[in-house]
Amino acid sequence: MTNTPESKLAKLRKAAEASEDQARKDKTALLEEAVKQAMSSTAYGHVTAVARQANITSQYLRVLIEEKEPGWLDRAAEQRDAVKAAKAKPKATRSRTAKRGEGGTAHRARKSGTAAA
């Protein structure tokens, strides 16, 4: 009975179950590494880039990150905003013409022959 179709089917079923178990382990390892790499940086677009490399959606990766460390995405966004605000140039309070004492608006001499709008 060793060469019957049932024994071949049983062998194939066992092989399929073993490869399915290995695939689950590999997928779990992939997702864990993706979360780890995504959380290594708070740079804009980093989570999306990692998700693309792992061939998963960025939203799913965000869900996994929130499951691992709730609030991390919000803290990362706050950190990005703080860095952006620190890099922003302060706005000038006075214009060049105001510094020269000419008032707040710049005046140009109109070319002769042109009508005022």
Side-chain angles (χ1 to χ4, degrees):
M1 203 168 165
T2 58
N3 285 339
T4 62
E6 290 84 16
S7 66
K8 288 181 181 178
L9 289 175
K11 286 180 183 178
L12 289 173
R13 181 178 47 79
K14 286 180 183 178
E17 288 172 355
S19 61
E20 186 178 348
D21 289 340
Q22 185 60 43
R24 275 194 205 107
K25 290 177 185 175
D26 292 343
K27 183 71 170 188
T28 300
L30 170 71
L31 295 177
E32 287 174 355
E33 183 62 24
V35 168
K36 180 181 171 186
Q37 285 189 19
M39 293 177 69
S40 69
S41 172
T42 60
Y44 183 79
H46 182 70
V47 171
T48 303
V50 171
R52 194 176 305 121
Q53 287 178 347
N55 198 27
I56 58 176
T57 64
S58 58
Q59 185 59 42
Y60 182 53
L61 183 54
R62 287 181 179 92
V63 168
L64 294 174
I65 290 170
E66 282 297 313
E67 286 176 358
K68 181 175 181 177
E69 193 173 326
W72 185 87
L73 292 169
D74 292 332
R75 288 191 303 276
E78 289 171 3
Q79 210 173 37
R80 281 192 306 273
D81 291 342
V83 169
K84 187 177 177 182
K87 287 183 180 180
K89 294 181 181 177
K91 298 206 177 217
T93 56
R94 298 177 57 179
S95 68
R96 283 192 224 168
T97 56
K99 288 180 184 176
R100 283 189 254 141
E102 298 175 5
T105 59
H107 296 281
R108 279 195 180 158
R110 197 176 301 151
K111 291 183 180 177
S112 62
T114 55

